Amino acid sequence: MSHTLVAGIDTSTQSTKVRITDALTGEQVRFGQAKHPDGTSVNPEYWWEAFQAAAEQAGGLDDVAALAVGGQQHGMVILDRQGNVIRDAMLWNDISSAPEAADLIEQFGAAPAEPGEPAEQTARGKERWVKAVGSSPVASFTLTKIAWVAAHEPDNAKKIAAICLPHDWLSWRIAGYGPVAEGEDAHLEALFTDRSDASGTIYYDAAQNEYRRDLIALALAPAYDEHVTPGADCAHVDTDSAPQATAHAEAIVLPTVLGPRDAAAVKASHAIAGKDIEGGCILGPGGGDNAMASLGLGMAVGDVSVSLGTSGVAAAIAENPVYDLTGAISGFADCTGHYLPLACTINGSRILDAGRAALGVDYDELAELAFQAEPGAGGITLVPYFDGERTPNRPDATASLTGMTLKNTTKANLARAFVEGLLCSQRDCLELIRALGASIERVLLIGGGAKSVAIRTLAPAILGMDVTRPATDEYVAIGAARQAAWVLSGQAEPPAWQLTIDGVDTAEPTPAVYEAYAAARG
């Protein structure tokens, strides 16, 4: 495989990236990128056009022996019998379905409490969802979006012949399939996915490797209830609609869930890639972006990545399923056969932007000020829930500064409080994951926020352990390429590509800082 090329595709919210990679070493050979339209709902055809443009920019795919697609999770793509997209895909960041998420929780909690279950209905509903599929409904997840379509666009809901995710749909197109004329076979059964992306739908149980069509029927029921006005509260749907919704859910085509190194079927005589390769290009199962990034980082059991972007994401590799009965941790699967418990904060590196704006400084000046203050910021604590928060689940919260006196209210202490507040919010995520039994032996710090010298310097003290900083790179695309090389090789384990480490930061732990933060946030 020394001269064999594979391609990793990253179809994210913002763009499609194509990374042509040496299958033996993991080194980048060529690269292309094309943007997607802005918005929280997008016509998937834009992803197809962006893929083609990015592939061309990357020098084409004729010499590529295998490829795989990593993609933004949770997006809802619904197709009719001819393979046409019924409506624009609702993306993970479309929060229209928040009321439907709450309704689904209430429906699950409606039955009387069993021994050991919470007495309060909402808590009981969340616990039952976690036990069923590993996660409790929030507006991000695919099933809540299906419920939104059923409640607001019942005619569209009734047309659904297949449901898939962004990476599933793009992979299906790359495999040679797509919309067909009336009466022709669109081969919806050729749709495929993997455990990691399927686990983000909340109608797939990764532990049992099975779809829960009964949950899809629950979401579809409002479309068949004549007593429900489109857009109305659908917490209590007429039971007469259940048989129709159940029959529809049973008939819907759901993507085949491939194993971590299974090859997908490619349409005969079709060649979007591998035209110069004997036998053509092999197509891997692909995966969700967080799981693909963990594969790109070479993460193993005991590793946790902390990604600081617009949001903050802490993801761990766990050998066994992880169930957080409060619903704070999402129990996803990874791309290797393990599990990926994940906590997400709405507020990420923008916390530093808020500090910069308040103090009128740039990033370096913010760091210089923070370093002038002692750990604990002279007693000032920032709870950084500027836009509400998901972990912990406080959607209506706002940020707060506490402990301020005339003596300690200095620019240095305020700067330090903003940096410590961001890191403490991520420590919350780590502690939740640790409390569920997942081992945390190494922390990998990635994302734009990792570029901050203040974050890099203070992270090990706040998180309580050394922090490893991989080089800035396209880890979703690298993970997809690594999967493609794995499928191509036929080996039991993925290729051992070298991870470039920019540094390992260490510092004396400052547990009192996190203790003060925990007390302030309550």
Side-chain angles (χ1 to χ4, degrees):
M1 289 173 57
S2 59
H3 298 291
T4 302
L5 298 182
V6 295
I9 317 300
D10 173 10
T11 180
S12 71
T13 315
Q14 294 83 16
S15 66
T16 294
K17 301 165 186 173
V18 175
R19 188 184 196 268
I20 311 297
T21 305
D22 185 298
L24 181 65
T25 66
E27 293 295 320
Q28 178 177 304
V29 177
R30 305 190 301 269
F31 185 82
Q33 182 174 358
K35 288 189 174 183
H36 296 165
D38 293 333
T40 60
S41 292
V42 175
N43 185 336
E45 284 296 329
Y46 286 114
W47 305 335
W48 177 240
E49 293 170 6
F51 162 71
Q52 293 175 302
E56 183 178 359
Q57 188 182 113
L61 301 173
D62 289 352
D63 55 354
V64 168
L67 67 82
V69 179
Q72 53 174 305
Q73 291 191 262
H74 316 310
M76 180 199 69
V77 183
I78 49 177
L79 307 177
D80 65 15
R81 286 188 177 86
Q82 280 69 54
N84 298 301
V85 175
I86 295 170
R87 71 173 320 278
D88 285 356
M90 297 174 71
L91 307 185
W92 66 273
N93 54 355
D94 188 317
I95 60 171
S96 303
S97 61
E100 283 69 34
D103 289 347
L104 289 169
I105 291 170
E106 293 305 307
Q107 288 186 69
F108 251 45
E114 299 289 338
E117 287 190 322
E120 198 270 322
Q121 182 173 340
T122 301
R124 189 163 66 243
K126 289 181 179 180
E127 186 171 299
R128 289 171 177 173
W129 273 101
V130 170
K131 289 179 178 178
V133 290
S135 303
S136 180
V138 294
S140 296
F141 296 150
T142 315
L143 186 69
T144 70
K145 302 179 190 305
I146 296 168
W148 186 93
V149 173
H152 293 258
E153 302 173 357
D155 290 342
N156 280 337
K158 291 174 183 178
K159 295 176 186 176
I160 297 174
I163 306 170
C164 57
L165 299 164
H167 121 256
D168 310 341
W169 183 87
L170 185 58
S171 297
W172 182 65
R173 294 298 305 271
I174 292 171
Y177 302 99
V180 297
E182 185 74 32
E184 295 183 11
D185 186 355
H187 294 286
L188 298 176
E189 77 286 346
L191 285 162
F192 62 92
T193 190
D194 86 308
R195 292 171 63 253
S196 73
D197 218 4
S199 66
T201 63
I202 67 165
Y203 51 78
Y204 172 78
D205 180 357
Q208 300 299 321
N209 192 28
E210 65 179 10
Y211 283 114
R212 292 288 304 270
R213 291 181 182 270
D214 57 322
L215 303 182
I216 297 176
L218 187 69
L220 287 173
Y224 291 95
D225 188 348
E226 297 178 357
H227 303 290
V228 172
T229 301
D233 181 354
C234 300
H236 302 288
V237 176
D238 191 330
T239 54
D240 290 344
S241 65
Q244 293 170 293
T246 298
H248 187 179
E250 290 295 332
I252 288 174
V253 175
L254 300 173
T256 299
V257 182
L258 299 179
R261 52 195 178 96
D262 289 344
V266 178
K267 192 173 183 179
S269 74
H270 174 78
I272 193 71
K275 293 178 182 177
D276 298 339
I277 303 296
E278 185 176 353
C281 180
I282 292 173
L283 195 54
D289 52 3
N290 289 300
M292 276 298 186
S294 71
L295 185 60
L297 288 163
M299 289 172 59
V301 174
D303 287 340
V304 176
S305 63
V306 174
S307 178
L308 297 179
T310 302
S311 59
V313 177
I317 303 295
E319 193 165 358
N320 299 307
V322 171
Y323 297 102
D324 176 13
L325 298 184
T326 71
I329 301 293
S330 297
F332 298 154
D334 80 340
C335 284
T336 69
H338 292 126
Y339 295 85
L340 193 78
L342 183 149
C344 179
T345 63
I346 292 173
N347 301 278
S349 58
R350 291 180 299 173
I351 295 167
L352 300 184
D353 294 332
R356 288 175 49 240
L359 295 171
V361 296
D362 62 23
Y363 288 111
D364 290 338
E365 290 167 338
L366 184 73
E368 290 173 8
L369 284 171
F371 295 149
Q372 293 171 19
E374 295 295 321
I380 297 176
T381 299
L382 171 71
V383 179
Y385 303 160
F386 289 95
D387 291 333
E389 193 45 82
R390 175 172 165 181
T391 306
N393 186 27
R394 299 179 184 178
D396 300 322
T398 56
S400 63
L401 275 167
T402 60
M404 298 172 70
T405 66
L406 290 174
K407 184 178 179 180
N408 69 9
T409 303
T410 65
K411 282 189 173 182
N413 281 335
L414 290 173
R416 182 97 181 194
F418 272 86
V419 177
E420 290 180 344
L422 169 54
L423 289 168
C424 284
S425 73
Q426 300 310 301
R427 173 72 182 268
D428 269 349
C429 295
L430 295 186
E431 292 304 322
L432 284 168
I433 292 171
R434 185 181 278 119
L436 295 173
S439 171
I440 300 180
E441 298 172 5
R442 183 174 67 151
V443 172
L444 300 166
L445 184 64
I446 59 175
K451 297 176 182 177
S452 164
V453 64
I455 292 295
R456 298 200 303 264
T457 303
L458 300 187
I462 302 295
L463 301 182
M465 57 192 301
D466 291 353
V467 173
T468 299
R469 285 185 291 106
T472 300
D473 213 329
E474 302 290 350
Y475 287 107
V476 175
I478 292 172
R482 190 174 183 221
Q483 184 193 72
W486 187 15
V487 174
L488 185 65
S489 73
Q491 299 298 310
E493 300 294 333
W497 292 351
Q498 184 69 36
L499 177 65
T500 301
I501 302 297
D502 279 349
V504 178
D505 298 308
T506 186
E508 188 68 26
T510 55
V513 175
Y514 180 63
E515 290 169 6
Y517 174 86
R521 61 139 161 79

